[in-house]
Amino acid sequence: MSCDIFYLAHQQGERKQSVEEHLQGVAKLAKQFAEKVGLVNAGELIGLLHDLGKYSQDFQDYLRSALDEIDPDADEYKDPKHFKGKIDHSTAGAQFIWTSLMQREPVDEKTQAIAQLLALCIVSHHSGLIDCLEETEREPVKDKFSQRISKSEEKAHLQEALSKVDASIKNRANDLLGNSTLIDEVFNKIKTINKHFKSLKKRHSIKNQDIYHFQQGLLLRFLFSCLIDADRIDTADFENPHAAKKRANGRYQHFSILIERLENKLFNLSANAEANTEVNQHRKYISDICLQRSKDEQGIFTLSVPTGGGKTLASLRFALQHVEKHTLERIIYIIPFTSIIDQNAEETRKILEPIGSGDEGKVVLEHHSNLTPELQTWKTKILSENWDAPVVYTTMVQFLETLFGAGTRGARRMHQLANTVLIFDEIQTLPINCVHLFNNAINFLVDHCGSTVLLCTATQPLLDRVDPSKGHLALKKTNELIPDVKRLYQDLRRVVVNNLCKTEGWSYTQIAALAISEMQDLGSCLVIVNTKDAAKQIFQYCQSQLASVQGVMVFHLSTSMCPAHRKAKLTAMKELLKSELENNKYNQKSSIICISTQLIEAGVDVDFGAVIRSIAGLDSIAQAAGRCNRNGKREKIGRVSIVNPNEEKTSSLADIVEGKKITQRILDEYKSDPLSFDNENIIGVTAMEQYFDYYFFKRQSEMLYSVSEPYNDNLFNLLSSNMNKVDNYERVNNKSLNIYLKQSFMAAAKAFKAIDTPTRGVLVPYNERGQEIITALCAAYEPDKQYALLKEAQQYTVNVFPIELKKLNDLEAVHFIQDDVDILYLIKPQYYSKDFGLSTTTTESFSNFQMM
C-alpha cells in the first residue's frame, strides 16, 4: 500500500478492511455482474473507483472519530453525528474517470457519453441516480451533473486521493481508462440500442428520439445496479462473514434436476385416474405446448389461457426448459399488486424443494414485503434481498421499484433481471400509468440483457397496440404460445355469465340475499366486491342471517389480513369446498359463502358453484369467473352474476371507475348483438379485445405517468429526452446544454415513489407463531438471525397506507421492533380481528382465536 499507511474503509470489532481491499472486492463483483451485458471493463472500473475519496484525510479522520480513536478535543476530530454523510467520498472517482476520458483525443460525443455514464454511477452510489438536470420550486433548471463533476478540490479531494491511493488501484484504473476496449464495449452497447431504435423509428415513422434516450437511461441504471449490489455485498460480507457463507452467489441446483422434479410431478398428475377429466386434458394440452415452445429462440411471449387452465405449472415448465436450453440464470415470477403470491410460491416450492432433497429453502425465494427499510445500516444491509435464487416470486410493485424507484435498495436488483426468464402473472393488472415505462423496460431487458419474457393471463391487455413512439411491446403474432386461443376458450367454458345490473342498483342486503340463494341452489357462492367496506358489510349481513343455520360457513377475505391468516382461511375453505363437491348433495352441512375483495381473483385456486361480482373491469369479471366451476366437475354449470352495488364508494378508485364504464358499454353492445361475441361469450377473446381497445383508447393520455408540481411533466419524459427541462435551461441560460445524458433520474424516481402511495408493513401477532416472531425480533441483534426471522415475518405482515398508519400511531397501537431497526409491529391485539384482520377500531381480543 502507498507509503505503508493503512487507509480504513470499514471496521467491525477488531477487524479492519482497508480501502484497497474494499475497492478490489467491489470491482471483482461489479465486473462479474456487468459481464451479463458485456460491460466487464466498465463494471470493474466503477468498482475500483467508487470510494476513491475515502483516501482523503477528512474521511479517515471522520471514521477514526466514529471509532473513538481520536480525542474529541483534538483538531482533527470530526463529530460523527455532524459529519455523517457530509464528507464527499464519491465525487473523486467520478472526476477521475471524467477528466481521464475527456483528455483523450478526439473528445467526441461518444467519449463524452461514456464518461458521463460511468461518472454518474459513482457519484450516485449512496443517494440513488442523481438528476442530470435539476429543477426545484425555488431555483430554475440547472446542469446538476456539470456542477457535481466540477466540484472543488477542497470538497472532492481528487488530487489528495490520487496522491495516497494504493498503487494496485491506480495502476489498474489507468490500464482500463487507457485501453480502447473500455470505450468500445460501452459504445457498442449504445450502438446496439440505437440500431434497435432506428428499426423501430423506420417501421412506425417516429420523429423523436425519446425511446432511444429512455433505453440509454436504463443501461445506466443497469450498470449502476451492478455497482450498488457489489458495494452492499462486499461491505455486508466483511461486517458479517458468517452470514456471507449463506449467500448462494449464483451457485444453484442444476436446472436439469429441477426439470426432472417438475416432470415427475406432471407425470404423477396425469397418471392419476381421478385427474382424467376434460378440463385436465386441456391443462395437459396447454402444458405440452409450453414444453414444445420452450425450445424457441428468446423473446417476448404471451400465454393466453382461461382462468383455471393450469397456467402456473405450464409457465413453470416453459421457463425451466427455456432456462436450460439458453443457459440462463434464473426465473422470476412477477405477481400483481392485489394477489396472494404465497400460494403459487408454496406450490412451486413443494415441487422443486421436495422434503429430504437437501434443497429446502434454497430454490424458491419469496420477496414481497416492505419490512426492510430504505435507510441501510450495517445491520440492515444483509436484510435486503437481491434476488440471488434460481426461482424468485415477487410483486409488480417490487419489479417497478427495481426499474424506476428512488434510492438504492430496489435499484441494486436490476442486474438480476438479465439472462432471466421473467413471467408476469395476470399482466392485465399492470397500472395504466406505467404502461409505456413497462413496455420500454421489457423491450430493453429482452433486446439488450438477454432475457425472455412470458406474459400470462386469461385477459391479454394488448400492450403491443399502444403508441409506438412512446413504447409498445415488440410482440410478434407467432409469439402467442397457444395456436388457437378462441377455440381453447370455447373448450374450457365452464360458466354462464348473467348481467343482473339494474337502474336503481343493488343494496348490500340484496347482494347478501342473492349470495344465500345461490349457495342454497349451487352449494357454494363467492362474492367479490371492490372495497373492504363492502366486503365487511355483506359478510356481516350473511353471518347474521345464517348464524342459526347448522353446517353453513361464512368466510371473509381482505388485504387487512396477514398472509398467514388468509392462508389459514383459504385452506379451511378449500377443504369445505372439496367436501361440498364430493358429496354432490348440496345440503346444509356443506354450504359455503365467501365475501372477498378482488385479492382472490389472481392466483387463488378455489372452486365455487356460483360467483357474484360487483361490476368492475371486464378483465376482473373474467378473473372472478375463473373461481367458478373451476375444474368442470360440478353437476350444474357454474353461474356468474354481475351486480351494481348502489352503496359501494369507488369514486376515488380511478381504475375501477373507468373499468366499470367500459364494461357497461360492452354489456350494452352484447345485449344488442350477442352472436358477435364468440358464441355468446361475454368474457371471451372478442369481448376482451374490445374492452381493452376501448380502455386503452380512453386512457392513453395516462400511460406516461404524469406528475404534478413541481415538475408538471411525466416520468417518461423525465427519463428520456427531458425536453421541457432542456428548453427551460437553454432559455434561462441563453446557451446550449453541453451534456449527453439529460435525464432527471432522481426527480422521476421520487415522483414514482410518491404517487405510488407507498404502504408500510406492520407485523401482527396472528396466531402463536406471529407473536413468537415479534418477540424474537425484538431480541435479535445479529443480522443473520434477523434475516431468517424477517423472511418468515412476511407471512405475518399487513401493508397499511399512510392514513391508516397515522390512525394506528395516534392509538399507540404500533411500536418499533428495536430503536435502530425501522420495523413496526402491533402491540395492541384488540386491533386485529379474527374476521377482518388489522383495523383502526377495537375488535375482539386476538387471544380469543388462533387459526380461524
Side-chain angles (χ1 to χ4, degrees), residues 45 49 146 165 232 258 296 314 399 494 503 632 742 796 800:
L45 180 65
L49 297 176
S146 296
V165 64
R232 302 303 185 261
L258 302 183
D296 286 10
F399 176 77
R494 291 148 288 166
T503 305
K742 304 175 179 66
Y796 296 87
V800 298

Side-chain angles (χ1 to χ4, degrees), residues 4-245:
D4 294 325
I5 298 174
F6 188 92
Y7 293 98
L8 181 66
H10 305 103
Q11 182 165 336
Q12 187 64 34
E14 296 299 315
R15 294 184 303 107
K16 296 182 178 182
Q17 183 187 43
S18 70
V19 177
E20 180 187 27
E21 289 168 335
H22 178 57
L23 295 182
Q24 294 283 14
V26 174
K28 181 180 178 181
L29 287 171
K31 177 181 180 180
Q32 174 189 324
F33 298 152
E35 187 177 10
K36 301 173 186 179
V37 294
L39 297 180
V40 288
N41 291 287
E44 183 181 2
L45 180 65
I46 59 177
L48 277 175
L49 297 176
H50 77 287
D51 275 353
L52 183 63
K54 285 189 175 180
Y55 283 101
S56 74
Q57 193 61 50
D58 276 354
F59 195 85
Q60 290 297 309
D61 287 346
Y62 160 70
L63 282 182
R64 291 174 60 215
S65 298
L67 293 166
D68 295 326
E69 293 181 3
I70 299 179
D71 190 312
D73 293 327
D75 291 342
E76 63 266 32
Y77 180 79
K78 296 192 181 299
D79 181 17
K81 290 184 179 179
H82 174 74
F83 282 96
K84 186 176 182 179
K86 294 182 180 178
I87 299 177
D88 187 343
H89 65 274
S90 57
T91 300
Q95 286 181 334
F96 185 44
I97 289 176
W98 179 260
T99 54
S100 297
L101 291 179
M102 295 303 283
Q103 289 170 2
R104 292 173 59 127
E105 294 293 341
V107 179
D108 53 15
E109 188 179 65
K110 173 179 77 172
T111 305
Q112 185 189 40
I114 294 166
Q116 187 183 359
L117 186 144
L118 298 176
L120 277 167
C121 289
I122 293 179
V123 297
S124 304
H125 81 271
H126 280 288
S127 61
L129 285 173
I130 67 168
D131 290 332
C132 298
L133 290 179
E134 182 183 73
E135 182 178 21
T136 65
E137 294 181 70
R138 297 180 181 179
E139 297 180 11
V141 179
K142 59 184 177 183
D143 178 354
K144 180 74 172 180
F145 172 76
S146 296
Q147 183 184 71
R148 181 69 179 271
I149 211 68
S150 58
K151 213 171 189 179
S152 69
E153 171 65 21
E154 181 184 3
K155 293 181 178 180
H157 311 286
L158 172 59
Q159 295 308 317
E160 180 190 359
L162 289 177
S163 70
K164 298 175 177 179
V165 64
D166 292 282
S168 64
I169 303 296
K170 189 174 183 178
N171 292 340
R172 181 57 182 158
N174 282 326
D175 286 346
L176 290 166
L177 286 164
N179 193 320
S180 61
T181 304
L182 171 73
I183 296 290
D184 291 343
E185 72 177 16
V186 181
F187 181 64
N188 286 339
K189 203 69 184 175
I190 294 173
K191 197 160 65 172
T192 303
I193 292 173
N194 191 32
K195 180 180 178 182
H196 278 80
F197 173 70
K198 283 183 176 179
S199 175
L200 174 73
K201 189 175 182 179
K202 184 176 180 180
R203 288 197 310 272
H204 298 283
S205 301
I206 297 172
K207 294 182 172 54
N208 58 56
Q209 298 281 106
D210 290 347
I211 291 176
Y212 174 52
H213 293 302
F214 189 96
Q215 297 214 335
Q216 284 183 326
L218 287 173
L219 179 64
L220 164 63
R221 190 171 176 100
F222 187 95
L223 200 53
F224 176 66
S225 163
C226 298
L227 173 61
I228 296 301
D229 200 27
D231 185 28
R232 302 303 185 261
I233 289 173
D234 184 78
T235 302
D237 287 358
F238 165 74
E239 291 170 344
N240 196 327
H242 176 68
K245 294 176 183 178

Side-chain angles (χ1 to χ4, degrees), residues 42 51 86 92 315 411 421 429 544 560 591 608 611 752 770 802 812:
D51 275 353
K86 294 182 180 178
S315 61
V421 175
T429 61
S544 66
S560 292
S591 298
F608 284 84
V611 168
F752 181 84
E812 298 182 342

Side-chain angles (χ1 to χ4, degrees), residues 3 159 165 198 223 343 374 410 486 558 586 614 629-630 685 724:
C3 303
Q159 295 308 317
V165 64
K198 283 183 176 179
L223 200 53
Q343 174 180 287
E374 172 60 43
K486 286 188 178 182
S558 86
Y586 304 118
S614 175
N629 194 23
R630 187 177 180 87
V685 175
N724 290 345

Side-chain angles (χ1 to χ4, degrees), residues 756-797:
D756 194 42
T757 316
T759 57
R760 184 70 182 274
V762 176
L763 266 171
V764 295
Y766 171 72
N767 227 331
E768 290 182 4
R769 184 54 185 159
Q771 183 59 62
E772 288 171 359
I773 289 171
I774 289 173
T775 302
L777 275 171
C778 287
Y781 284 88
E782 297 177 14
D784 53 338
K785 187 174 182 181
Q786 286 186 3
Y787 177 82
L789 286 168
L790 280 177
K791 287 186 74 173
E792 187 177 359
Q794 294 182 50
Q795 295 297 309
Y796 296 87
T797 303

Side-chain angles (χ1 to χ4, degrees), residues 149-402:
I149 211 68
S150 58
K151 213 171 189 179
S152 69
E153 171 65 21
E154 181 184 3
K155 293 181 178 180
H157 311 286
L158 172 59
Q159 295 308 317
E160 180 190 359
L162 289 177
S163 70
K164 298 175 177 179
V165 64
D166 292 282
S168 64
I169 303 296
K170 189 174 183 178
N171 292 340
R172 181 57 182 158
N174 282 326
D175 286 346
L176 290 166
L177 286 164
N179 193 320
S180 61
T181 304
L182 171 73
I183 296 290
D184 291 343
E185 72 177 16
V186 181
F187 181 64
N188 286 339
K189 203 69 184 175
I190 294 173
K191 197 160 65 172
T192 303
I193 292 173
N194 191 32
K195 180 180 178 182
H196 278 80
F197 173 70
K198 283 183 176 179
S199 175
L200 174 73
K201 189 175 182 179
K202 184 176 180 180
R203 288 197 310 272
H204 298 283
S205 301
I206 297 172
K207 294 182 172 54
N208 58 56
Q209 298 281 106
D210 290 347
I211 291 176
Y212 174 52
H213 293 302
F214 189 96
Q215 297 214 335
Q216 284 183 326
L218 287 173
L219 179 64
L220 164 63
R221 190 171 176 100
F222 187 95
L223 200 53
F224 176 66
S225 163
C226 298
L227 173 61
I228 296 301
D229 200 27
D231 185 28
R232 302 303 185 261
I233 289 173
D234 184 78
T235 302
D237 287 358
F238 165 74
E239 291 170 344
N240 196 327
H242 176 68
K245 294 176 183 178
K246 296 182 179 181
R247 294 189 190 279
N249 292 322
R251 298 185 298 270
Y252 309 142
Q253 177 59 273
H254 291 298
F255 278 95
S256 58
I257 302 296
L258 302 183
I259 289 170
E260 183 180 355
R261 290 171 183 171
L262 176 61
E263 292 302 317
N264 288 338
K265 171 69 174 179
L266 295 173
F267 176 81
N268 291 334
L269 283 175
S270 63
N272 186 344
E274 294 182 7
N276 193 28
T277 64
E278 185 178 353
V279 170
N280 281 331
Q281 288 300 314
H282 285 299
R283 289 171 179 163
K284 184 178 184 303
Y285 164 74
I286 294 163
S287 177
D288 289 344
I289 286 176
C290 285
L291 173 62
Q292 296 165 18
R293 295 296 302 275
S294 68
K295 310 305 179 186
D296 286 10
E297 293 305 308
Q298 291 186 253
I300 305 174
F301 299 89
T302 55
L303 178 60
S304 304
V305 173
T307 305
K311 290 191 298 293
T312 301
L313 293 185
S315 61
L316 180 62
R317 195 180 199 188
F318 172 90
L320 287 171
Q321 298 280 355
H322 199 72
V323 165
E324 179 78 355
K325 174 176 173 55
H326 296 287
T327 320
L328 304 182
E329 294 184 11
R330 68 183 49 79
I331 299 163
I332 300 179
Y333 273 90
I334 297 97
I335 311 293
F337 296 97
T338 55
S339 76
I340 303 170
I341 74 172
D342 46 276
Q343 174 180 287
N344 283 357
E346 186 60 28
E347 184 179 357
T348 302
R349 191 176 285 116
K350 287 177 181 177
I351 298 169
L352 302 184
E353 299 178 4
I355 297 172
S357 66
D359 284 335
E360 295 94 326
K362 297 180 181 178
V363 176
V364 180
L365 168 70
E366 275 183 74
H367 184 227
H368 54 93
S369 171
N370 59 357
L371 280 174
T372 51
E374 172 60 43
L375 298 175
Q376 295 194 346
T377 65
W378 74 269
K379 291 179 68 176
T380 57
K381 280 174 184 170
I382 198 169
L383 303 183
S384 290
E385 305 283 7
N386 70 338
W387 295 348
D388 182 14
V391 180
V392 178
Y393 277 84
T394 190
T395 62
M396 181 67 86
V397 170
Q398 294 284 359
F399 176 77
L400 293 173
E401 282 288 334
T402 295

Side-chain angles (χ1 to χ4, degrees), residues 590-836:
S590 58
S591 298
I592 306 106
I593 290 180
C594 176
I595 319 297
S596 176
T597 57
Q598 56 266 44
L599 69 88
I600 203 168
E601 289 176 350
V604 182
D605 186 3
V606 288
D607 188 346
F608 284 84
V611 168
I612 299 169
R613 182 57 167 98
S614 175
I615 189 168
L618 195 64
D619 55 330
S620 293
I621 292 169
Q623 293 296 329
R627 317 303 141 192
C628 184
N629 194 23
R630 187 177 180 87
N631 298 305
K633 292 182 178 181
R634 296 181 175 274
E635 290 184 345
K636 298 182 181 180
I637 191 169
R639 192 155 60 220
V640 177
S641 301
I642 306 172
V643 298
N644 54 331
N646 53 27
E647 302 170 74
E648 196 172 46
K649 295 178 175 63
T650 59
S651 59
S652 63
L653 306 172
D655 292 344
I656 290 174
V657 169
E658 292 301 328
K660 285 164 67 173
K661 290 177 183 175
I662 296 167
T663 295
Q664 190 59 62
R665 179 177 177 181
I666 297 291
L667 292 173
D668 291 343
E669 291 179 2
Y670 177 82
K671 188 176 181 180
S672 299
D673 185 14
L675 294 177
S676 64
F677 287 82
D678 299 339
N679 294 317
E680 303 182 59
N681 187 0
I682 191 57
I683 56 172
V685 175
T686 298
M688 210 55 62
E689 287 186 351
Q690 193 68 56
Y691 171 80
F692 279 114
D693 272 344
Y694 292 156
Y695 188 79
F696 279 178
F697 178 79
K698 188 170 184 179
R699 305 193 71 183
Q700 58 185 320
S701 62
E702 301 175 50
M703 294 180 183
L704 296 171
Y705 212 120
S706 296
V707 292
S708 53
E709 295 289 349
Y711 309 114
N712 293 318
D713 209 330
N714 61 68
L715 295 198
F716 176 74
N717 213 7
L718 291 172
L719 293 170
S720 57
S721 300
N722 209 7
M723 288 309 301
N724 290 345
K725 284 187 174 48
V726 172
D727 290 345
N728 288 344
Y729 175 88
E730 294 183 345
R731 184 181 66 252
V732 169
N733 294 279
N734 196 29
K735 65 177 182 179
S736 297
L737 181 64
N738 190 30
I739 54 174
Y740 186 78
L741 295 169
K742 304 175 179 66
Q743 292 92 327
S744 296
F745 295 110
M746 185 167 285
K750 287 182 176 178
F752 181 84
K753 189 87 171 181
I755 295 175
D756 194 42
T757 316
T759 57
R760 184 70 182 274
V762 176
L763 266 171
V764 295
Y766 171 72
N767 227 331
E768 290 182 4
R769 184 54 185 159
Q771 183 59 62
E772 288 171 359
I773 289 171
I774 289 173
T775 302
L777 275 171
C778 287
Y781 284 88
E782 297 177 14
D784 53 338
K785 187 174 182 181
Q786 286 186 3
Y787 177 82
L789 286 168
L790 280 177
K791 287 186 74 173
E792 187 177 359
Q794 294 182 50
Q795 295 297 309
Y796 296 87
T797 303
V798 177
N799 290 332
V800 298
F801 288 98
I803 189 169
E804 298 170 296
L805 185 58
K806 184 180 184 304
K807 289 179 181 178
L808 290 169
N809 271 319
D810 293 343
L811 293 165
E812 298 182 342
V814 292
H815 196 271
F816 288 108
I817 287 286
Q818 295 173 24
D819 291 340
D820 61 343
V821 179
D822 191 20
I823 297 169
L824 291 167
Y825 74 101
L826 188 69
I827 57 174
K828 293 185 177 180
Q830 62 266 36
Y831 291 102
Y832 196 90
S833 159
K834 69 175 184 179
D835 289 327
F836 307 115

